[in-house]
DNA sequence: ATGAAAGCGCTAACAA
DNA sequence: TTGTTAGCGCTTTCAT
């Protein structure tokens, strides 16, 4: 069976504590003793039992990451960033997905799915402030993404309003006057609200139309939803000269529809997405997109969780802004101006 | 602090064992007693401590999934399938990525990264048979993907040779005579070997050329690698009338290059990918692709791991074939024939 | 049907 | 510097 500290101690002819000292790199161990114990460890193939260590110390070395869906490359790339950031602190990541459904998000926030974790990073879509209000779970929680919560938890995000404004400003700067928004979500909860707000503020400031006829609500946030929304706008009779989509998959779905209808991007309609996923860099028309610094978000999230594990001085909850930039490509600049560039 | 079984027992005026019986749905508990204990549990907000349970039972309820990279949507979608399959058995998934690097894969296979797991599902790229030969780790390991290993572990995959042949046969059936292969990997290890073999076998059987001039090796397996490979083939002076790519991102990268050079897909060059990722369904030219049944793969992998946990009768290692099909779209059929269809 | 007590493997307080 | 021991919270014989 599995070898325990006791077995190693017996083999090396020392006490359990001495072996434990070696395993945990305790300072006051003579080199000779360390080597002797290490030899026994190697010979027996000893590996510490983490369950026991966990039971004793109350730490697991695991943080959970709960994302809406992995199929969206933005979240997949974000997950990779979190895993790497966690690895830098010798933490491993337990991954869960919520489908963006409120009930799932509540369950996760209350620790029903994963109960062996030191901390939780949650990227909510439908979750409401009240759902978190009476959270009893005592593992640290960090929120990710664009929803606005007035709650005592760290929240990592980019400035979505400002980013959306930058995207729309870019379009206006190219002479586009009628900019549609694709991806406001149907129903009470409104994950896209900050991006819609940025879109509206910028257009209003420029004296351009920002009426509801230019906003296409959707049920989901994938390619197909973007395509359906684009179709709906065009069939409504509106003929915008630009589209700002909630995310890249929706933008790409919209572009597919434009292509099917014989409309040229960007000549007839310019398109801007959000998230800067790899896919947008290799279509027939490369996609201009808001590019959040995913590495920074992952890093900040992990650090934020771990900071709350110190125990002594727990930092006050704070809102952390990660960096972003607008990457301009063919879907707004056109092929000639965009060049091959920026496949980062 | 946290409430334990003991606290509940004291509150309910019963022994620890009785509480445990209730928590674990033990059969022989009188309804009255069950209710009385349950009330205490609710009042105190008792939640079992999993670490203690794990220590006692030797199980953690966690399986690890190690994938090359999450950025590739195929793996992201596969991860989602595994998470769901695991959830069906009340298991949660610890996610790791190896970058497809041999050293990382070895570390993972030996359990150095995650040591709190009941089982491991590993999708290797560079790992060699010998690396697993002397594996001492005693947690069950299941292999995923197209590499061929002669080892006593379960291996879940689709029949890559047959699938590749089907793809090439489809191209031949459309009259394509010179089919290039993009994505054979440089260097000793050859993750794409089965797909290259299928490509070669089918062409040879049809009396068509399958020389090395039609194979473009790459360093990685992303969009950019596919684009670079396509460029290299065209610059070599060869002008194939079809391309079969190792995976969808590479196929899409290749199509971008064809588009830049003014070559039409499929009129001038038809393209087939592998994996059927969502992205391929929404480009300007939708992508014909081999579609592995990811749900089945995830399910089989999880079941395979869990079967080895039973303890009593450990099933003999076996090779399991998951289903696949060829989804035909515009990149081979053309726009008219393909219709809008199959956006799954 | 319920209770008492041992022990899973480890860490940490204390002792030597 | 190293050894002894209690106990983390739970499950599980064995009694009753």
């Amino acid at each position: 069976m599995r070898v325990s500290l006791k077995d190693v101690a017996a083999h090396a002819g020392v006490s359990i504590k001495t072996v434990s000292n070696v395993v945990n790199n305790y300072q006051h161990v003579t080199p000779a003793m360390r080597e002797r114990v290490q030899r026994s460890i190697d010979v027996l193939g000893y590996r510490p039992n983490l369950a026991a260590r966990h039971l004793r110390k109350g730490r697991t070395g695991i943080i959970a990451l709960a994302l809406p869906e992995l199929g969206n490359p933005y979240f997949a790339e974000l997950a990779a960033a979190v895993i790497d950031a966690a690895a830098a602190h010798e933490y491993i990541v337990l991954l869960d997905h919520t489908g963006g459904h409120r009930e799932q998000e509540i369950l996760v926030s209350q620790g029903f799915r994963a109960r062996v974790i030191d901390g939780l990073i949650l990227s909510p879509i439908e979750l409401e402030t009240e759902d978190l209000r009476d959270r009893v779970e005592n593992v640290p929680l960090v929120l990710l993404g664009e929803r606005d919560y007035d709650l005592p938890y760290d929240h990592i995000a980019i400035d979505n309003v400002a980013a959306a404004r930058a995207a729309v400003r870019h379009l206006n700067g190219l002479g586009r006057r009628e900019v549609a928004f694709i991806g406001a979500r149907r129903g009470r909860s409104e994950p896209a609200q900050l991006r819609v707000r940025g879109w509206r503020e910028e257009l209003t400031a420029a004296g351009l139309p920002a009426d509801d006829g230019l906003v296409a609500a959707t049920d989901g946030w994938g390619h197909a939803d973007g395509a359906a929304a684009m179709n709906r706008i065009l069939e409504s009779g509106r003929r915008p000269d630009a589209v700002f989509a909630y995310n890249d998959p929706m933008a790409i779905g919209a572009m597919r529809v434009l292509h099917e209808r014989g409309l040229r991007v960007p000549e007839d309609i310019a398109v801007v997405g959000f998230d800067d996923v790899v896919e947008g860099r290799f279509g027939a028309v490369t996609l201009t997109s808001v590019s959040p610094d995913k590495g920074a978000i992952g890093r900040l999230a992990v650090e934020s969780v771990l900071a709350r594990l110190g125990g002594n001085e727990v930092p006050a909850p704070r809102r952390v802004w990660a960096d972003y930039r607008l990457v301009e490509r063919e879907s707004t600049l056109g092929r000639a101006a965009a060049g091959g560039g920026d496949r980062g």
Side-chain angles (χ1 to χ4, degrees), chain A:
Chain A
M1 250 305 289
R2 237 183 124 86
V3 320
S4 75
L5 271 191
K6 194 156 58 173
D7 302 322
V8 178
H11 184 271
V14 297
S15 84
I16 282 185
K17 177 58 163 66
T18 303
V19 181
S20 174
N21 283 342
V22 172
V23 171
N24 294 288
N25 279 312
Y26 184 61
Q27 305 212 358
H28 309 289
V29 183
T30 54
M33 178 60 90
R34 185 179 296 280
E35 189 176 346
R36 174 166 146 213
V37 171
Q38 188 59 53
R39 200 182 311 282
S40 295
I41 289 177
D42 294 340
V43 169
L44 299 178
Y46 168 76
R47 302 274 292 282
N49 178 325
L50 292 206
R53 180 177 289 175
H54 173 204
L55 175 56
R56 188 60 238 239
K57 311 221 308 185
R59 291 280 180 81
T60 65
I62 301 177
I63 56 185
L65 173 65
L67 264 15
E69 49 173 12
L70 255 14
N72 182 327
Y74 172 72
F75 291 118
E77 291 169 24
L78 185 59
V82 169
I83 290 175
D84 289 337
H89 297 273
E90 301 199 301
Y91 261 79
I92 48 188
V93 174
L94 211 148
L95 194 63
D96 211 340
H97 55 182
T98 62
H101 302 311
R102 186 172 175 188
E103 310 74 42
Q104 282 292 322
E105 292 173 348
I106 293 175
L107 284 184
V108 164
S109 78
Q110 295 178 162
F112 270 96
R113 288 263 300 134
R115 293 181 303 203
V116 253
I117 59 174
D118 291 344
L120 169 62
I121 300 172
L122 170 63
S123 174
I125 294 281
E126 296 184 343
L127 195 75
E128 298 294 331
T129 297
E130 65 209 63
D131 298 332
L132 249 34
R133 188 82 65 193
D134 48 339
R135 185 179 119 100
V136 293
E137 186 63 30
N138 49 6
V139 315
L141 167 65
V142 170
L143 266 11
L144 246 46
E146 66 147 328
R147 293 295 302 278
D148 232 351
Y149 294 102
D150 179 27
L151 285 167
Y153 296 109
D154 278 5
H155 189 146
I156 323 278
I158 67 169
D159 185 337
N160 277 274
V161 176
R165 291 194 67 155
V168 174
R169 198 176 315 125
H170 169 62
L171 289 167
N172 292 159
L174 293 167
R176 310 290 167 154
R177 317 286 299 167
E178 190 162 0
V179 182
F181 184 93
I182 279 184
R185 191 93 172 287
R186 278 190 237 281
R188 189 166 68 91
S189 88
E190 180 50 278
Q193 60 183 333
L194 297 180
R195 293 177 196 174
V196 179
R197 190 195 302 166
W199 166 84
R200 196 181 305 278
E201 284 181 9
E202 186 65 28
L203 288 178
T204 306
L208 295 170
D211 56 289
D212 286 346
L214 283 171
V215 177
T218 57
D219 291 320
W221 48 88
H223 295 79
D225 303 292
M230 190 74 249
N231 267 324
R232 239 177 305 115
I233 286 181
L234 293 176
E235 276 156 16
S236 78
R238 283 303 264 264
R239 183 58 36 107
D241 55 12
V243 170
F244 176 39
Y246 172 64
N247 65 17
D248 281 0
M250 301 191 78
I252 290 165
M255 287 203 293
R256 168 70 196 179
V257 165
L258 295 174
H259 177 74
E260 285 172 1
R261 290 174 174 258
L263 292 165
R264 293 161 306 157
V265 176
E267 291 82 351
D268 299 317
I269 302 192
V271 178
V272 176
F274 209 109
D275 287 348
D276 186 27
V277 305
V278 177
E279 175 180 354
R281 313 210 262 270
F282 287 91
V285 177
T286 58
L287 179 63
T288 295
S289 187
V290 174
S291 181
D293 187 341
K294 294 159 201 138
I297 295 175
R299 219 172 311 118
L300 289 166
V302 169
E303 284 164 6
S304 190
V305 166
L306 297 187
R308 281 161 200 298
L309 256 46
N312 336 355
E313 306 206 13
V314 178
R318 63 201 185 117
R319 175 140 205 141
V320 183
W321 301 110
D323 245 8
Y324 70 90
R325 65 202 178 93
L326 183 69
V327 183
E328 304 172 5
R329 300 202 185 88
E330 293 170 3
S331 69
T332 55
L333 300 183
R335 177 119 167 230
D342 205 351
R343 285 196 187 142

